[in-house]
Amino acid sequence: MLPSLASDYFEFFGLAPKLHLDLDQLQKRFYELSKVLHPDRYQRKIPAEQQYSQDATALLNDAYRVLRDPLQRAEYLLKKAGFEIGEQRSKDVPPELLEEVFDLNMALEEMRDGDASARPQLEQARDKFHAMRDEIDARLKHLFVMYDAAPERETLGEIRSALNRRRYIRNLVNDVEKELQ
Amino acid sequence: MSTFQIDFGESKKQIIGIDLGTTNSLVAYQGLTGPEIIPGEDGHRLVPSVVSVTRGGKIVVGNEARDLLITEPERTVYSVKRLMGRGLEDVRDELTLFPFHIAHGSESVIQLKLGEKTFTPPQISAEILRQLKRNAEAFLGEEVTQAVVTVPAYFNDAQRQATKDAGRIAGLEILRLVNEPTAASLAYGLDKRKEGIVAVYDLGGGTFDISILRIHDGIFEVLATNGDTHLGGDDIDNLLLRIALEDIQSEWGEDLSANGEAVQTLRRAVIDAKEKLSFIPSSVIDLAYNGKTYAREITRDLFDKLIAEIVNRTLLPCRECIKDAGVTVDQIVEVVMVGGSTRIPLVRKAVEGLFLSKPHTELNPDEVVALGAAIQAGILSGDVEDQLLLDVTPLSLGIETMGGVVSKLIHRNSTIPASATETFTTSVEGQRNVLINVLQGERELVKDCRPLARFELRDLDPLPAGMTRIEVRFLIDANGILNVTARDARTGKEQSVDVKPSYGLTDEQVEAMIRESYEKAEEDFNERQVREMRVEADAILAAVEKAKRSDAFFELEEEERKAIDLTINELLMVYHSGDHHLIHSYVDKLNQVTLKLAENMMNTAVRGVLKGTKI
């Protein structure tokens, strides 16, 4: 293990824990760190250094993967702040979508049974969910700016709700698109 | 005690680069002016990946074996790469097309019969590696013990592991497995001005890969990769062969398909006709056998129609790869063509149609992968400092959860090394072991993914259900191979993990094969072990000597420095003892006493890059 390398992703990159990151800067740092840490550079070094290099690079790659994606980055920050997130919560239907989802499932059922007449309804649903997702994305963007300006726990709570809703809608969109193909 | 002064920097050995192909293999090295292909003693640069056991029991490889394919088809094998890391049920379809002679007892590991002997696919590949090693040693005039070997980017864990096993059996330490298209991009990117998004389309004898990379400031970052490990020129050969066999049956009233010699002669004719069609509009498949003759003209139009389906099968992976890379077609500045099958005009046309730009064909598609492997060897030896490959894992890795569902831990196209940690717990009071089923693939259900290995956590403390928590770390290393470590989250104690690979050889089996290969050889098995251990000792001694000149060494306590010097001397004392266990124990000891030094070195390196970058 790496006793003296930071295990926090932001810290590892030498960045402040913010929800908005300059991606060009992040990539530049990723390349710089890769050049220093990558196992290819340690082939002729002490075995313990080789081991450290592998562990450190795995950590670097894992961190970069999470930090470069705004949603994963937000989830990571939430997890660090002690919020529980995960697929489980996204299975609960948001109450305001209950009726919608019920109708949608009927339509999906019909499509699966080979009844193509449900197609227009599904296409309509897909467009609607796309619009909802865009709306949530706009809201998330706003919340991210808010949090970066004043890191309040309350804002993180709102971000979590928005992320769960988004994940739920994303799963619906995936289901619909799979049937429409 | 006096200190030995040896400059280990001088004994730096050459690391060779190997393209272990389905049809042909090549070996290259990083010369003073750049990578170069090493020809065989017969002067040929390509070594056909064909192995034959002569009636005298001698193993021959390459062109000589390729000729024996016709006269001794029962004792000769080609395209063995298709069987690497595969189970019998995976290759059942292939067996009708390829003259593989499967021996009995192939349930867990495929055994091929060549005359009186049986070989596993890694043993056959090891013979090819041995030949390439010999070629390199004759050419370079020195012993070669280390190599970089390329594999298809879309190779799974078992296929990679089988390739590494082949290296061990051949007495060649494979320092790194590099993906073929990535290696090609290194050779292609030799020109330092190359920047931007590049696609590498690699259609070889048996495998197809597509990779999309970002090249920036000497960094070759793979964004995504896709492919099919059972799609290549072989499939075209088999298609034409089937047609010719049907023709012959109706013309001669004779079924030749069970006649090994006739089939292999016809296969050579088919390949010949296919290769000519890349340059002329029409060619002839002809066969003269047992006083009868067969000749069939194939025009390029007909050929194109016949192979359209095979060529089209490469396009879906390309589209998925573009999508996964998160780029659009117009962002891709160049498409590089790799593999002999990209000489086919229809392939070039299809690629041009998809990527909307003329593909690059100026590099020799047979050699570019081996050249790239040599550059990667140069990177590992420190000779090439301004280039670095950042590759990805082609397939998602997951574990089996309730209801036969796969929970993904590391997603495909993650930059490697990549890791994931998962906590496992017991479900029954007093439970002493936990079984973890690891799978590779993109589907949701266990039955649709490929089993990779079963890991068993054993000898857990008997505690009430749910009390034991074991943290398991899954790490895909820079070779794309999975490593698993576990520790008890409560006690922090390392937990042993028992690995049962779903396909391929266990460590014990590989050991046995190494021994077997020495039974008849002139060299003593023990001698080889001593020699290999000395190579390891040389490596660590050289590394420690170098580290001793750094600031990190002087940051150590005096005791720590003394311990290092003492252990170096101890290792040097036993170095010539001829007892590999003894040498091993001091290599281990030197390893232990330099832990802190290694950590200091690493911290200095990281501090350097992070200094003054805090935002």
Side-chain angles (χ1 to χ4, degrees), chain B residues 282-313:
Chain B
S282 165
S283 69
V284 179
I285 302 174
D286 48 19
L287 176 74
Y289 189 75
N290 267 353
K292 292 177 186 165
T293 56
Y294 163 76
R296 156 112 186 208
E297 191 195 358
I298 302 251
T299 63
R300 191 182 286 166
D301 274 351
L302 175 64
F303 181 67
D304 286 356
K305 279 196 194 87
L306 289 172
I307 65 166
E309 195 247 318
I310 291 173
V311 175
N312 277 334
R313 270 171 65 198

Side-chain angles (χ1 to χ4, degrees), chain A residues 71 75 86-106 108 125-126 128-130 132-133 136-137 140 159-177:
Chain A
L71 299 177
E75 284 181 2
E87 292 293 324
Q88 208 50 46
R89 293 193 59 90
S90 66
K91 290 210 174 76
D92 307 326
V93 186
E96 72 279 12
L97 286 177
L98 260 178
E99 204 176 325
E100 197 99 31
V101 169
F102 183 77
D103 288 345
L104 180 73
N105 281 334
M106 297 270 284
L108 283 173
R126 177 191 59 196
K128 185 167 178 192
F129 289 136
H130 275 163
M132 283 169 116
R133 192 186 57 196
I136 295 172
D137 284 348
L140 277 169
I159 290 173
R160 182 185 60 172
S161 318
L163 283 176
N164 283 338
R165 219 173 108 89
R166 191 185 191 283
R167 195 179 301 119
Y168 186 82
I169 286 168
R170 185 201 63 198
N171 289 343
L172 285 180
V173 170
N174 285 349
D175 287 348
V176 173
E177 279 175 350

Side-chain angles (χ1 to χ4, degrees), chain B residues 166-183:
Chain B
R168 276 180 64 197
I169 297 166
L172 195 59
E173 187 189 357
I174 299 185
L175 293 179
R176 177 78 80 248
L177 295 174
V178 185
N179 295 330
E180 286 157 9
T182 323

Side-chain angles (χ1 to χ4, degrees), chain B residues 243-261:
Chain B
I243 292 171
L245 283 169
E246 279 168 23
D247 278 359
I248 289 171
Q249 181 155 23
S250 63
E251 282 178 28
W252 300 1
E254 197 178 334
D255 182 12
L256 290 182
S257 57
N259 180 335
E261 190 185 334

Side-chain angles (χ1 to χ4, degrees), chain B residues 32 88 108 119 178 210 291 473 489:
Chain B
L32 289 174
L88 200 53
S108 59
F119 296 82
V178 185
I210 173 79
R473 184 157 176 263

